Amino acid sequence: MNDRRHEPLTEQLADEVFPHDDPFPLYAGLRAAGPLVWNATGGYWVAARHAEVTAVGADATRFCSGRGILTFEIGVEYPTPPTMMHTDPPAHTRYRALVQPAFGRRVVRALEPTIRAAATKLVSQVRTDEPIDIVADLAAILPVQVIGMVLGIPESEWHRVWAWSEASIPGTETWADPDRRNALRAEMTAELANLVASARVTPRDDVISQLVHEDLDGDRLSDDELAMFLNQLLVAGNETTRNAISGGLVAFSEHTDQWPRLVGDRALVDTATDEILRWTTPVIAFMRTATVDANVGGVPVAAGDPILMLYASANRDEDEFGLDADTFRVDRSPNHHVAFGFGPHFCLGAALARIEIAATLDALLDAGVTAIDTAGAVQRSRSTIIAGVTNAPVVLRTR
Ligand code: HEM
């Protein structure tokens, strides 16, 4: 029998505005209510604690991705998986083996100086000591440049990358306009197809060329798989990193003792980067579906039951992070956050995202920023998937 005692609490999760304002008291209530709680409206379990999120994420055999990773996909059947995230072993294992080399440590390290140079240039163009919008002026630009570089998209097209990815994220303004959304997505698909075609003829030094020519014992991605993967990559690496950077800088403006700690000790940039990821958790939640009758944290789950892994809640779990789980602290270590997920689908771009965040912090420190002050109300996006900051007025103080 399923334990469905906590329905009223989790019904709030069905409300489209749940990431708005302050969802954390609700998350704390979900964690206190049990290892899993049932959302009657949505028809899915919610794993709000760190222990159950990692247990479900780690086990791709008993908790699959092929039946959807977002709650609006419950009951949807795909003829072919729309993204790599919707695949399960053994297909996912093969897929991952084919794309992993393009994101290996060596490749990412080789990109680091270029990413750092881009962050430095960007910060040098941002006005200090007067209000700016941290999203439009800084956070939105670097991830677009980086994904543009990684994919080999010509610089003249980079301004389109933002619009393309906005058209791919449920809940954004562009998504709400189907005609515009479809037009932008068609444009993105055409651009990626062009890049693939030209990389086949003349290999470049970029991820698309590497994927086109990657060969694993005679196996390689088909054209359809390649198109699906590139579409996903463009979105996955853009919105998420942007919101980590903007949300992280907002966190500094709201916890004014933390930036001076970085100024005083540059060695804290790496732990600060992970704390930003924990604190902002740009991907709020992903879902799995039980493939067999199972037991999660002592709660029986029936085969076919969807389970939402609420990363944003797990990242504030006192049982994992201690009594100060609700405190933004740049020196937090250890920090086993789940902002990049957990298990075989662990974020492919994690190293890249970490470099982008750290490069932004370093560039601001190099520019002599001594404080980050709030300069107006922060506006957040309405997506239930991405914890997005749409507008955040701050002042970067240098004097
Ligand atoms: C702060 C930035 C980022 C966050 C918070 C983030 C978050 C996540 C999460 C939570 C997952 C797990 C999906 C699941 O378990 O179903 C994931 C997977 C993935 N991410 Fe990221 N991501 C970020 C940046 C990036 C970047 C920069 C790229 C690429 C350039 C990227 C590419 C991917 C891909 C391809 C997957 C699918 C992996 C698989 O299914 O095996 N992400 N990401």
Side-chain angles (χ1 to χ4, degrees), residues 152-174:
I153 296 172
E155 202 169 331
S156 57
E157 296 294 312
W158 287 357
H159 65 286
R160 306 296 295 151
V161 172
W162 163 296
W164 294 339
S165 77
E166 285 282 295
S168 307
I169 299 273
T172 61
E173 264 175 48
T174 319

Side-chain angles (χ1 to χ4, degrees), residues 101-103 106-107 204 206-215:
F103 291 87
R106 195 179 48 80
V107 178
R204 301 176 298 263
D206 61 35
V207 164
I208 292 187
S209 302
Q210 189 163 343
L211 292 174
V212 164
H213 297 281
E214 184 70 42
D215 188 316

Side-chain angles (χ1 to χ4, degrees), residues 142-153 161 233-234 237-238 352:
L142 187 64
V144 167
Q145 292 182 342
V146 171
I147 204 67
M149 283 186 249
V150 166
L151 293 178
I153 296 172
V161 172
L233 213 51
L234 191 135
N238 185 15
L352 207 55

Side-chain angles (χ1 to χ4, degrees), residues 65 69 84-87 92 96 99 103 147 150 229 232-233 236-242 244 277 281-283 286-288 309 311 338-342 344-350 352-354 356-357:
S65 299
I69 55 167
M84 168 184 182
M85 288 194 266
H86 292 76
T87 60
H92 176 258
R96 189 87 191 199
V99 299
F103 291 87
I147 204 67
V150 166
F229 180 67
Q232 176 189 349
L233 213 51
N238 185 15
E239 299 277 340
T240 47
T241 316
R242 174 207 316 178
L277 286 157
T281 315
V283 177
F286 275 143
M287 190 185 75
R288 298 290 188 261
M309 299 177 293
Y311 301 131
V338 286
F340 290 125
F342 193 84
H345 288 274
F346 182 82
C347 179
L348 192 66
L352 207 55
R354 278 200 171 98
E356 290 182 54
I357 299 165

